[in-house]
Amino acid sequence: MSDITLIILVFCAAVILGVIVYNMYQENKYRQQVREQFGHADKDALLGSKTDFVRDGKPLGGEAAEAAEPVRTKDVSRPSQKAEEAEAIAQPAAPQADKNDLFAEKVAAAAAAKPDAAIEVEEDDFVEPVLQPEAEKGEEAFAFERVDAPAPSQTRLQGKQKTLLHLNDLTKLELPWFDPRFDYMAYIALSEAQELHAIPRLSSRHRFQIAGCTMDDRFQIAEPIPSVYYQGFVIGLQAVSRNGLATTQELEQFGEQVNSFAEKMNASLLLTDVETFLNVARPLDELCARVDQTIAMHLVSRGSISGTELRAAVENLGFELGVDGAFRLPNEEGEPLFTLVTLDNTPFTASLLSSQAYRGFSMLFDITHVPAGEKQFNRFMDLAVKLSSTLSLDLVNDKLEELSTQWLKEVRSYVVARQDEMQKVGIEPGGSLAARLFS
């Protein structure tokens, strides 16, 4: 080997070594940049963000939807001393809107800064933070199913005439539209059969339903239909919802409005005792707030994908584009299971999908609306993996870190635990009661 050949080989080796060192420097710089943009490793990025459709009052569908959804109202029905203690230990909620709105922009900046050279990452090199195990609670803390519905105790009789129905008999009925643990109940018995000329306005913040007993002793949702006469009514105010627990003042105001309605009908009225009802509803509301979470998985491209290609891939798996600009996968009954949205929560539209490219999208798993069991979460992950493979996307969290198998197992266990809590109190995930409480 001549001296010239040896010099050339040494020079080539030096160049290769320099390229390797430069790539390592770029990789470390990229990792540092991503972590600065998307948070720190001690935060659970999957469950700490993208929690739309929950009690923080930030629904999917863009800024207009966010403005329409009311935020959770503070419960002022508790004694003032307890309220002060709760405020003293309360932790401020981290704002999510700004981060969600800028997610796509951060993905684009991070992807543009990333070098073209491939980077090998060993899965065991980084242990992603997992959910902290909850402290063991006594059996009584989850024994909500043993709590009886509050007994009515506030009775107001209008006149001494005999009523067509007995108020005490009305309280014993189990009607499919109400759950006395969550609905503040009012019972009205008429002295003579009457038509319902108009639905009374009984609350501006909480939903309510009115069931009427017709002349053939059948109950139905009351409507102002001519020639339909009612003997009495059962009215339920849904006091637990994503708006938060109704306050004492709101329940008392509802009672006054129902009383005015009964007076106009020359009827007798029975109201549930407010404090007794709240003693039952408060722990159930706290449970609802705890389980009301949405899991988000992000599928991100290092470049971009066309909207036409994206739509074809998701519709091939059964997703359907809704009028609100989100793709949803329906179950056998046509109810949505999983949701697919843009990274910045702007709506998908047919025209945009046919004309523009996307950095990726997010898949959402609503704990309260998906039927319970590991099977559904496994299906959710299978769909995410299929889309990731079909569209050549990276399955990542908010910090653009690849989701590890162990971490996904922890999330699956967390989902199952929250759904078990719901079932213990008779709230079936994906059922009719869950649809009322978490809508």
Side-chain angles (χ1 to χ4, degrees):
M1 181 182 297
S2 65
D3 294 340
I4 296 177
T5 303
L6 182 61
I7 292 173
I8 293 174
L9 291 176
V10 171
F11 177 76
C12 291
V15 171
I16 294 174
L17 181 61
V19 171
I20 293 174
V21 172
Y22 177 75
N23 284 343
M24 292 176 63
Y25 167 77
Q26 288 289 85
E27 176 184 351
N28 291 332
K29 182 179 179 181
Y30 169 72
R31 288 177 178 272
Q32 182 179 0
Q33 178 186 3
V34 169
R35 286 170 179 160
E36 289 176 354
Q37 290 177 331
F38 293 92
H40 301 282
D42 59 350
K43 178 182 178 182
D44 190 339
L46 181 61
L47 296 177
S49 64
K50 284 289 182 182
T51 54
D52 298 310
F53 271 117
V54 292
R55 296 203 181 197
D56 58 6
K58 299 173 184 175
L60 299 175
E63 296 179 358
E66 290 180 14
E69 182 74 11
V71 297
R72 178 173 174 81
T73 301
K74 177 184 174 183
D75 180 9
V76 297
S77 61
R78 298 175 180 268
S80 58
Q81 181 178 359
K82 292 183 179 180
E84 292 176 359
E85 294 174 356
E87 291 178 2
I89 62 174
Q91 296 295 330
Q96 298 290 335
D98 292 341
K99 182 183 69 175
N100 289 342
D101 293 340
L102 298 176
F103 188 89
E105 181 180 344
K106 294 178 180 179
V107 170
K114 191 168 183 179
D116 294 332
I119 301 174
E120 297 183 359
V121 180
E122 296 184 6
E123 185 173 330
D124 294 333
D125 289 346
F126 177 78
V127 179
E128 198 164 0
V130 299
L131 296 167
Q132 297 297 326
E134 296 184 347
E136 294 293 335
K137 299 184 179 180
E139 181 179 355
E140 294 182 357
F142 298 96
F144 298 122
E145 68 276 13
R146 301 174 191 159
V147 179
D148 296 329
S153 63
Q154 299 181 21
T155 306
R156 304 181 187 185
L157 299 176
Q158 306 297 334
K160 298 180 181 292
Q161 68 274 16
K162 184 178 180 180
T163 57
L164 300 176
L165 299 173
H166 294 288
L167 289 172
N168 289 332
D169 292 340
L170 290 177
T171 65
K172 299 175 183 177
L173 296 174
E174 294 184 3
L175 301 178
W177 307 286
F178 309 108
D179 188 323
R181 300 173 302 165
F182 303 102
D183 298 310
Y184 179 70
M185 305 300 299
Y187 305 92
I188 296 176
L190 303 180
S191 57
E192 59 179 349
Q194 299 183 45
E195 295 179 351
L196 181 63
H197 297 291
I199 299 295
R201 183 177 179 85
L202 303 176
S203 176
S204 59
R205 195 170 78 94
H206 298 277
R207 293 187 292 267
F208 65 89
Q209 294 187 91
I210 304 177
C213 180
T214 58
M215 296 306 296
D216 56 358
D217 296 327
R218 294 184 180 181
F219 277 87
Q220 65 183 36
I221 294 297
E223 296 179 292
I225 303 176
S227 301
V228 175
Y229 288 80
Y230 295 98
Q231 304 180 67
F233 301 97
V234 177
I235 306 177
L237 177 75
Q238 185 179 326
V240 176
S241 68
R242 277 178 168 162
N243 289 337
L245 178 64
T247 65
T248 299
Q249 293 81 0
E250 289 173 324
L251 297 181
E252 290 177 347
Q253 183 181 16
F254 171 76
E256 292 297 330
Q257 292 172 331
V258 173
N259 185 55
S260 297
F261 172 67
E263 288 179 350
K264 293 178 181 179
M265 305 286 286
N266 192 27
S268 297
L269 170 67
L270 185 76
L271 289 171
T272 301
D273 180 69
V274 172
E275 191 57 36
T276 303
F277 171 79
L278 288 174
N279 288 338
V280 175
R282 282 193 186 104
L284 293 171
D285 175 68
E286 292 170 358
L287 180 142
C288 289
R290 182 167 62 252
V291 302
D292 195 5
Q293 300 186 49
T294 298
I295 307 299
M297 304 286 185
H298 309 301
L299 289 89
V300 178
S301 172
R302 297 186 182 183
S304 63
I305 54 175
S306 69
T308 302
E309 185 181 5
L310 187 156
R311 182 172 187 174
V314 300
E315 289 184 344
N316 186 52
L317 294 179
F319 285 85
E320 300 174 357
L321 181 60
V323 295
D324 60 347
F327 285 96
R328 288 185 173 84
L329 180 71
N331 59 14
E332 292 76 8
E333 291 76 28
E335 297 297 327
L337 275 179
F338 315 130
T339 305
L340 190 152
V341 298
T342 59
L343 294 174
D344 58 359
N345 280 342
T346 58
F348 286 113
T349 65
S351 59
L352 290 177
L353 286 167
S354 62
S355 61
Q356 76 175 29
Y358 292 85
R359 287 290 182 183
F361 51 86
S362 299
M363 283 187 61
L364 308 180
F365 182 102
D366 192 326
I367 293 177
T368 62
H369 288 283
V370 178
E374 295 184 6
K375 178 181 178 181
Q376 296 296 338
F377 188 80
N378 291 341
R379 182 183 179 187
F380 174 74
M381 285 308 308
D382 288 342
L383 291 172
V385 171
K386 287 180 180 179
L387 287 173
S388 174
S389 176
T390 301
L391 299 173
S392 300
L393 303 176
D394 295 327
L395 188 59
V396 301
N397 58 25
D398 282 357
K399 296 179 288 184
L400 293 186
E401 296 168 344
E402 184 178 358
L403 303 182
S404 66
T405 302
Q406 180 60 34
W407 189 63
L408 292 174
K409 289 180 179 179
E410 294 287 344
V411 174
R412 179 176 57 190
S413 299
Y414 180 83
V415 170
V416 172
R418 299 291 76 76
Q419 292 184 331
D420 285 345
E421 285 190 77
M422 296 176 61
Q423 292 178 311
K424 286 181 180 179
V425 299
I427 307 174
E428 188 64 32
S432 58
L433 182 56
R436 276 214 296 137
L437 294 174
F438 306 103
S439 63

